[in-house]
């Protein structure tokens, strides 16, 4: 009886060993399941799935209870296919059977990567950042935050050649300007869809956003002139002319140039500056930069040029000289262009044999660049009874625009200060 039990146990053990050694190795379905559920390390990334698995070869050693399997595994994620070489190592456990112990995957550089469809809008939106398009003749480099709208109008994709041409409507939203238009994007697939060329279907035009336009009114531009006193004249006759808003007429913006997506603007303006006796042309070149939500004037350069002067008529005032002061009158009777004719007269407050009234003809010119009046002394009109050899002298004066006075020298080198009556 005891011998029978020994034989029975021996037969059972032999059967167990026979069954274990005869367990079938893992087939494609099992290998795929093992890769998907292997707990030591994840084979699939988030959103990735296995679309096919083919066993290329295997090396099974039943004595060592090992099975090495070489597979080609194709996975898909985000409409891209990845063909990978995978080697799996199985071990035959007595109770669990053939169990995956470990696996290795080829380096990603060796994977065969193919597109499954053309470019989607999300990919295009991300790809636009860093690209450059021409807007109003200026290069506009797109940054990610500016891409506010992208929609595909048409797409011509060749999956075999891994190319796609996409026609898309875009809207770019900059700090100051917005751009809407149609772009053509040429894509090539190299492990991912990449833009090789981007250009506008038609010319792109920018529009200034509501509330972001630069105020180019006369009040705004003139308020930004930090130093309203402008030097005018020639060497030896320089004066400061003040620009006051109430003296400015015919203000106009002659040109407005924009760059850097509308955040930098150069304004060229012109106007008339009307003084009492002189009118100037004013040319203003102003540069503005939009930063921190506001326009700031960085440079403004007003330049004055002569336009016209009201010289004809009586100029009356006082003169000062060592021998006594008095009244000076310059009567400009003729103005022909810059040529002047008239009479100059002087009357002392107190007369004596050395200080007597007189008048004489004068003729000369007006020099606009310096507002200079230079007149040669002519014949006596009212000759004083007593006079020195230097009594009758040429007139040399400067017309001061802000003060509306003419200052200069007359008879006997006296200094006069006269204004138009």
């Amino acid at each position: 009886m005891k011998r029978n039990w020994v034989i029975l146990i021996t037969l059972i053990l032999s059967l167990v060993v026979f069954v274990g050694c005869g367990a079938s190795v893992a087939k494609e379905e099992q290998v795929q399941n093992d890769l998907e559920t292997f707990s030591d390390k994840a084979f699939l990334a988030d959103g990735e799935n296995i679309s096919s698995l083919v066993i290329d070869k295997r090396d099974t050693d039943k004595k060592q209870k090992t099975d090495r399997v070489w597979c080609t595994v194709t996975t898909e994620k985000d409409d891209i296919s990845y063909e990978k070489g995978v080697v799996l190592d199985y071990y035959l456990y007595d109770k669990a059977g053939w169990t995956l112990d470990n696996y290795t995957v080829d380096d990603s550089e060796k994977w065969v990567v193919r597109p499954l469809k053309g470019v989607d809008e999300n990919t295009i939106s991300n790809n636009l950042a860093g690209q450059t398009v021409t807007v109003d003749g200026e290069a506009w480099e797109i940054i990610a935050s500016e891409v506010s709208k992208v929609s595909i109008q048409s797409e011509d994709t060749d999956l075999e050649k891994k190319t796609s041409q996409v026609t898309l409507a875009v809207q770019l939203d900059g700090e100051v300007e917005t751009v809407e238009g149609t772009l053509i994007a040429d894509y090539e697939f190299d492990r991912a869809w990449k833009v090789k060329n981007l250009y506008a279907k038609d010319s792109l035009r920018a529009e200034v956003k509501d509330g972001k336009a630069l105020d180019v009114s006369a009040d705004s531009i003139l308020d930004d002139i930090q130093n309203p006193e402008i030097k005018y004249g020639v060497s030896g006759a320089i004066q400061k002319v003040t620009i006051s808003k109430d003296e400015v007429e015919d203000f106009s913006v002659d040109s407005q140039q924009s760059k850097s997506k509308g955040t930098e603007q150069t304004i060229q303006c012109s106007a008339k500056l009307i003084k009492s006796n002189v009118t100037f042309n004013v040319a203003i070149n102003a540069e503005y930069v939009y930063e921190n939500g506001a326009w700031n004037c960085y440079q403004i350069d007003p330049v004055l040029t002569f336009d016209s002067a009201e010289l004809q008529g009586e100029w009356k005032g006082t003169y000062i000289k060592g021998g006594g002061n008095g009244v000076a009158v310059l009567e400009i009777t003729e103005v022909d262009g810059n040529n002047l004719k008239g009479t100059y007269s002087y009357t002392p407050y107190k007369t004596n044999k050395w200080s007597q009234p007189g008048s004489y003809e004068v003729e000369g010119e007006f020099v606009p660049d310096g507002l200079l009046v230079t007149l040669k002394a002519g014949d006596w009109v009212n000759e004083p009874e007593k006079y020195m050899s230097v009594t009758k002298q040429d007139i040399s004066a400067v017309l001061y625009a802000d003060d509306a006075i003419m200052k200069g020298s007359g008879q006997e080198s006296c200094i006069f200060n006269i204004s138009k009556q």
Side-chain angles (χ1 to χ4, degrees):
M1 185 68 179
K2 183 178 181 180
R3 181 183 177 189
N4 290 339
W5 275 108
V6 171
I7 293 172
L8 181 59
I9 292 172
T10 303
L11 287 173
I12 292 172
L13 290 174
S14 298
L15 182 60
V16 170
V17 172
F18 174 78
V19 172
C21 293
S24 63
V25 293
K27 300 298 190 290
E28 276 92 346
E29 184 177 351
Q30 181 61 43
V31 171
Q32 178 173 334
N33 182 69
D34 289 341
L35 281 173
E36 291 172 340
T37 60
F38 191 64
S39 60
D40 289 356
K41 55 183 177 181
F43 176 72
L44 297 172
D46 290 342
E48 187 178 16
N49 61 79
I50 297 175
S51 60
S52 70
L53 185 150
V54 177
I55 295 177
D56 301 315
K57 67 175 183 176
R58 71 192 319 150
D59 182 10
T60 306
D61 187 336
K62 292 185 177 181
K63 289 184 178 182
Q64 298 296 323
K65 298 183 181 181
T66 60
D67 184 28
R68 173 162 285 188
V69 184
W70 286 264
C71 299
T72 299
V73 182
T74 302
T75 65
E76 295 179 4
K77 181 182 179 182
D78 298 334
D79 298 318
I80 297 176
S81 168
Y82 304 90
E83 188 178 291
K84 315 170 185 180
V86 183
V87 179
L88 304 93
D89 289 315
Y90 281 85
Y91 185 80
L92 179 61
Y93 292 92
D94 291 340
K95 291 184 178 181
W98 290 104
T99 303
L100 179 61
D101 265 3
N102 198 9
Y103 69 86
T104 58
V105 183
D106 286 345
D107 291 338
S108 59
E109 290 79 8
K110 296 180 180 179
W111 298 355
V112 178
V113 185
R114 299 184 180 92
L116 297 176
K117 61 179 292 187
V119 194
D120 59 35
E121 290 181 356
N122 185 58
T123 299
I124 292 172
S125 182
N126 292 333
N127 288 165
L128 288 177
Q131 300 295 321
T132 299
V133 293
T134 300
V135 178
D136 292 330
E138 181 189 20
W140 179 305
E141 183 177 350
I142 302 171
I143 59 177
S145 60
E146 294 173 339
V147 182
S148 60
K149 177 184 176 182
V150 174
S151 61
I152 295 176
Q153 295 181 335
S154 64
E155 185 171 3
D156 183 10
T157 302
D158 189 326
L159 294 179
E160 290 298 320
K161 294 182 179 180
K162 299 182 179 181
T163 61
S164 184
Q165 185 176 81
V166 185
T167 302
L168 56 144
V170 298
Q171 179 174 319
L172 304 177
D173 189 9
E175 281 190 285
V176 174
E177 296 177 335
T178 60
V179 178
E180 290 189 33
T182 303
L183 300 179
I184 307 295
D186 292 326
Y187 277 86
E188 290 182 4
F189 188 89
D190 181 13
R191 307 183 74 82
W193 285 112
K194 299 177 181 178
V195 180
K196 293 300 179 182
N197 192 23
L198 181 71
Y199 55 94
K201 184 178 180 181
D202 300 305
S203 297
L204 296 179
R205 299 294 180 189
E207 292 188 3
V208 179
K209 297 165 66 174
D210 290 343
K212 297 299 179 71
L214 173 64
D215 184 357
V216 294
S217 66
D219 283 346
S220 178
I221 298 294
L222 294 175
D223 282 342
D224 286 331
I225 299 178
Q226 298 176 0
N227 184 6
E229 292 185 341
I230 304 171
K231 291 182 178 179
Y232 182 87
V234 295
S235 179
I238 301 294
Q239 59 180 288
K240 291 182 178 180
V241 179
T242 303
I243 294 182
S244 176
K245 286 195 292 185
D246 58 3
E247 296 177 321
V248 173
E249 296 181 4
D250 300 333
F251 180 90
S252 67
V253 176
D254 302 321
S255 71
Q256 183 171 356
Q257 297 178 335
S258 172
K259 62 180 182 179
S260 299
K261 304 176 183 179
T263 61
E264 297 180 18
Q265 300 208 15
T266 300
I267 313 298
Q268 292 183 333
C269 313
S270 61
K272 298 287 188 183
L273 179 62
I274 311 298
K275 297 292 183 176
S276 296
N277 306 117
V278 186
T279 298
F280 295 97
N281 299 309
V282 186
I284 300 174
N285 185 77
E287 296 183 5
Y288 289 83
V289 176
Y290 188 85
E291 54 188 1
N292 300 322
W295 284 104
N296 295 298
C297 182
Y298 268 65
Q299 183 176 359
I300 189 162
D301 298 315
V303 176
L304 298 181
T305 55
F306 177 80
D307 179 76
S308 61
E310 296 293 332
L311 299 175
Q312 190 165 351
E314 181 185 74
W315 294 76
K316 185 176 182 180
T318 60
Y319 67 85
I320 300 173
K321 77 180 188 70
N325 304 333
V327 176
V329 176
L330 175 62
E331 182 77 34
I332 298 177
T333 56
E334 293 183 32
V335 177
D336 183 10
N338 292 328
N339 297 317
L340 309 176
K341 286 184 179 181
T343 58
Y344 174 75
S345 61
Y346 53 93
T347 303
Y349 292 136
K350 294 181 179 181
T351 60
N352 55 52
K353 63 178 181 179
W354 302 111
S355 180
Q356 297 182 10
S359 62
Y360 50 90
E361 295 177 348
V362 291
E363 182 176 354
E365 64 176 349
F366 174 70
V367 182
D369 288 346
L371 302 185
L372 301 174
V373 175
T374 58
L375 305 172
K376 292 286 187 182
D379 295 335
W380 285 106
V381 175
N382 179 20
E383 184 176 356
E385 296 180 1
K386 299 287 185 180
Y387 60 92
M388 297 167 37
S389 60
V390 294
T391 298
K392 183 172 62 175
Q393 289 187 337
D394 297 339
I395 303 298
S396 178
V398 176
L399 175 58
Y400 288 90
D402 274 3
D403 299 328
I405 60 174
M406 195 182 297
K407 294 181 181 181
S409 62
Q411 84 286 0
E412 299 183 53
S413 300
C414 73
I415 303 301
F416 64 73
N417 187 327
I418 55 179
S419 60
K420 194 173 182 185
Q421 302 304 297

